[in-house]
Structures are given as structure tokens and as C-alpha cells.
Amino acid sequence: MAVTSADFWDRVAPKYSRQPIADPESYARKLAITQALMQPDMAVLEFGCGTGSTALEHAPHVAHIVATDVSAAMLDIGREKAEQAGIENVSFRQSGVEDFEAPDASYDMVLALNLLHLLPDRASALSRIHRLLKPGGFFVSSTVCLADRMWFLRPLIPVLQWAGKAPYVSFVRRDRVLQEVATAGFEALEHWTHGRANSLFLVARKPPSAR
């Protein structure tokens, strides 16, 4: 029987935390691009933070980061990492995009790294992210676009999900993601793809005049 996303990520959290970064060069490039946009007074929100590694990398560059994930086990590892590193400006909260509570226009930047392809309703998530951002705020995402290059996995994924071996995964194309982000009201500033799974890294902005 299929498991919920939270159950799946809780179970794999210990193994996930030990995995090396698959593409260190691209990861470093993403960090550098994101940090170039950061300011010391920024409030940042990350959805799907996993074990918090990226939030902790960004923490020295901003005032505060709220790092969220649906998995309590992932967050426990993140809190332990933060404590060991002596980082105090990252708060971990268990939440998905749809049930995260905060006033509109609360954040200067929202991160959704390796997340959008795991959400059944991307349009709703993007709308929620748009509302949470301040006018002129940045949206930084990385999305696996399996439909571009790994379409042959489509029949296998439902079987793995039923067996509890995979979370929900959508087969989406790069151009579709860009279209959905634009439809949600964002302006794309930079985007590029990398890797076998054609992961789309995107920096977008909520227009300064938007509400």
C-alpha cells in the first residue's frame, strides 16, 4: 500500500542525510547565485528543507530562515546539524506548502529546492508562495523535469509508490514549469538545467508592484 509523503521521508531520513551531493559543481553554483541576492536583513522561507543543509549554508547571509519540511525525522536531523554548527538563526517547522501559516508578504525570499515535482498541485503551491513573498521578493527553485529525458520511468513510479519505495513524483517538462511560474505572477530572472534528470534551477521575482 502506498505511504504518505511524510511517512516515506521519515523512513529514508537517516540514509538521505548521509548521501553525498550528486552534483557538487552545480550545487555550488546554485548557492553562489542565491547568496548574491541575499541581504543581511532578509527573512527567508524554505519549503522542503530536508535535513537543513542548504538552509545552514545560507544562514550567515541573512537575518533569519524558517526551514520547513513534511518530515519530522528530517527536521530532527536538521536541528542537530544547526546545534552542532552553532547556527541560531534557522528555525525548523514541520509543514507543507499548503498548510504553512504566515501573513501574506512576510518573506524576502522563498526557496523550493527539489520540491515542485513532488507536489500534486504545483499551481496552488506557486500561488501560495507568491502571496507569502513581499513585492520584489525572490523565488528560487530547483525542479526535476523527468518528462524531458527520463519519460521511460513513468510506468515504474506508480509501482514503487504502491510498494512504499517512492514518494509522489510528477513527470513535468521544463517549459511547463516555466509557464506555471509565469502564470503564478513571477518574473523569471535566470534559469538553466543540469544533470541526467534535467533539473531546472530558476530564480524568479515577484514584481515590485504586485500585491
Side-chain angles (χ1 to χ4, degrees):
M1 183 177 180
V3 296
T4 67
S5 291
D7 289 341
F8 173 82
W9 293 112
D10 279 346
R11 189 175 68 245
V12 303
K15 180 179 179 181
Y16 178 91
S17 68
R18 295 191 297 268
Q19 289 179 338
I21 296 170
D23 185 349
E25 183 177 350
S26 293
Y27 183 66
R29 183 182 175 189
K30 294 175 184 180
L31 290 178
I33 291 171
T34 305
Q35 289 169 5
L37 299 171
M38 290 177 162
Q39 299 293 331
D41 61 347
M42 273 187 170
V44 177
L45 170 63
E46 181 177 6
F47 286 119
C49 72
T51 60
S53 296
T54 299
L56 299 180
E57 289 281 353
H58 290 321
H61 301 273
V62 298
H64 189 257
I65 299 177
V66 176
T68 76
D69 201 278
V70 296
S71 168
M74 290 279 193
L75 295 172
D76 286 343
I77 295 172
R79 292 186 186 100
E80 184 176 351
K81 286 182 179 180
E83 183 177 357
Q84 291 176 350
I87 294 174
E88 299 180 346
N89 65 329
V90 178
S91 301
F92 293 93
R93 287 174 56 179
Q94 186 174 8
S95 178
V97 179
E98 68 286 348
D99 56 352
F100 181 79
E101 295 185 1
D104 290 354
S106 290
Y107 295 96
D108 300 287
M109 179 181 287
V110 175
L111 310 177
L113 307 172
N114 295 313
L115 179 67
L116 293 180
H117 57 282
L118 302 176
L119 303 179
D121 190 348
R122 288 189 304 277
S124 178
L126 288 168
S127 177
R128 178 71 177 134
I129 289 168
H130 190 272
R131 293 197 305 272
L132 287 166
L133 274 171
K134 298 176 183 178
F138 297 103
F139 172 50
V140 181
S141 64
S142 186
T143 306
V144 174
C145 300
L146 291 174
D148 287 329
R149 295 181 183 173
M150 304 186 76
W151 51 267
F152 53 87
L153 292 176
R154 188 186 293 270
L156 178 62
I157 295 298
V159 177
L160 294 174
Q161 290 169 339
W162 184 87
K165 301 295 185 181
Y168 172 86
V169 180
S170 64
F171 279 72
V172 63
R173 295 187 180 278
R174 165 190 170 275
D175 290 347
R176 177 64 180 273
V177 175
L178 293 173
Q179 180 183 24
E180 291 174 348
V181 169
T183 299
F186 292 101
E187 300 172 340
L189 301 179
E190 176 179 356
H191 58 82
W192 42 274
T193 58
H194 68 95
R196 184 184 177 196
N198 205 42
S199 182
L200 169 67
F201 181 72
L202 169 67
V203 178
R205 183 179 68 162
K206 180 176 179 176
S209 59
R211 297 182 178 180

